[in-house]
Amino acid sequence: MRKIIAPSLLSADLVFLYKDIKMLNESEADWFHIDIMDTTFVSNISFGNLFIKKMKKYASKPMDVHLMILQPERYIEQFKECGADHLHVHYEACIHLNRTISSIKEHGMKAGVAVNPHTPVFLLKEIIMDIDFVLLMSVNPGFSGQKFINQTYKKVEDAKDLILKKHSSALIEVDGGINLGNASLLFKNGADILVSGTTIFSSKNPKKVIRRMKNSQK
Ligand code: DX5
Ligand code: ZN
């Protein structure tokens, strides 16, 4: 089974960001996960598209961009131009989700749909065939450093069942509160990608944490 680790830059040392970008380039991490917030869909403010554009010059791995913004369809072109490789939009933030997903793909990016902890996976039944990723939020979005919501284990299984039933090739990504204690069970239940911020960047040896997380099911 494929196991992908996507460190979330929200927890990086933003003043000395190049140091963390270089560390991730050299590490076994697969992608850079970047959280974009709008003060409305979530109350926090983080980075804008210019941040991704600047990072792209130094980051040697795909940019996995998580939009926690209302009506994300307004910004698809801008995120493509600044170098996003994957664009995740929230189910709860899109009125015309089908059209938004088509537009992300037409712009040459991979498309993901994120669901908040309270949103059941079965609501993705009519879109699962069209997407590259299901992003299961295992915390309420907006902040790093929160506690993992245990119900997510079951949601990973639900997502796996739906994917198999609909013959979809979507990968399952889990985001929030991930540590070396829960990573193994998430992979075992069917997760393909784990996003992790605090656990990786608060460690004295982030490369080792990434390696252990990636190999945690063995
Ligand atoms: C939360 C973000 C996450 C967050 C993960 O809204 O989507 O990507 O940065 O950070 P940790 O691992 O600290 O929960
Ligand atoms: Zn995220």
Side-chain angles (χ1 to χ4, degrees):
M1 201 212 306
R2 185 194 314 250
K3 285 188 215 153
I4 291 172
I5 303 294
S8 164
L9 272 292
L10 199 56
S11 302
D13 184 350
L14 295 183
V15 174
F16 297 102
L17 185 60
Y18 178 70
K19 181 172 71 69
D20 282 338
I21 293 176
K22 187 167 172 287
M23 178 277 291
L24 292 177
N25 284 343
E26 292 165 357
S27 78
E28 290 179 38
D30 300 275
W31 303 340
F32 287 74
H33 183 85
I34 301 165
D35 293 298
I36 307 290
M37 307 179 187
D38 69 350
T39 78
T40 309
F41 181 70
V42 294
S43 59
N44 208 356
I45 306 176
S46 56
F47 321 118
N49 50 343
L50 194 60
F51 176 78
I52 299 174
K53 191 173 179 181
K54 300 281 183 189
M55 264 193 71
K56 188 86 180 172
K57 277 206 280 187
Y58 306 103
S60 63
K61 298 174 181 179
M63 298 292 207
D64 187 57
V65 179
H66 176 191
L67 298 183
M68 282 164 272
I69 64 178
L70 290 177
Q71 296 177 283
E73 63 278 4
R74 294 172 295 162
Y75 296 101
I76 291 170
E77 193 161 342
Q78 272 153 282
F79 279 101
K80 173 62 188 175
E81 277 168 13
C82 73
D85 297 286
H86 313 153
L87 209 56
H88 301 274
V89 295
H90 266 262
Y91 176 87
E92 303 85 1
C94 297
I95 297 172
H96 300 291
L97 185 58
N98 183 289
R99 187 187 294 152
T100 302
I101 293 300
S102 300
S103 173
I104 293 172
K105 290 170 145 186
E106 280 159 17
H107 282 83
M109 294 177 283
K110 289 193 171 176
V113 174
V115 292
N116 278 337
H118 71 272
T119 302
V121 164
F122 71 77
L123 290 172
L124 303 180
K125 188 168 155 260
E126 305 304 334
I127 197 88
I128 196 79
M129 288 301 300
D130 302 320
I131 60 181
D132 298 291
F133 314 109
V134 176
L135 179 57
L136 301 175
M137 290 309 300
S138 39
V139 297
N140 285 292
F143 299 89
S144 58
Q146 301 182 80
K147 190 174 176 297
F148 180 83
I149 296 172
N150 282 323
Q151 177 61 17
T152 313
Y153 294 121
K154 174 70 171 63
K155 285 181 84 172
V156 172
E157 290 178 348
D158 291 347
K160 193 80 199 167
D161 287 348
L162 182 64
I163 286 165
L164 291 173
K165 197 169 152 209
K166 301 286 266 180
H167 307 289
S168 160
S169 56
L171 298 179
I172 301 171
E173 183 162 347
V174 185
D175 183 5
I178 296 190
N179 53 46
L180 293 172
N182 54 27
S184 159
L185 188 53
L186 289 165
F187 278 137
K188 191 161 168 251
N189 283 17
D192 302 289
I193 305 139
L194 299 183
V195 176
S196 175
T198 307
T199 298
I200 291 173
F201 290 102
S202 67
S203 162
K204 285 205 173 88
N205 191 342
K207 284 185 194 166
K208 191 171 166 195
V209 172
I210 291 166
R211 190 181 323 120
R212 284 181 61 195
M213 200 173 271
K214 203 171 165 77
N215 294 304
S216 59
Q217 206 196 317
K218 282 181 187 160

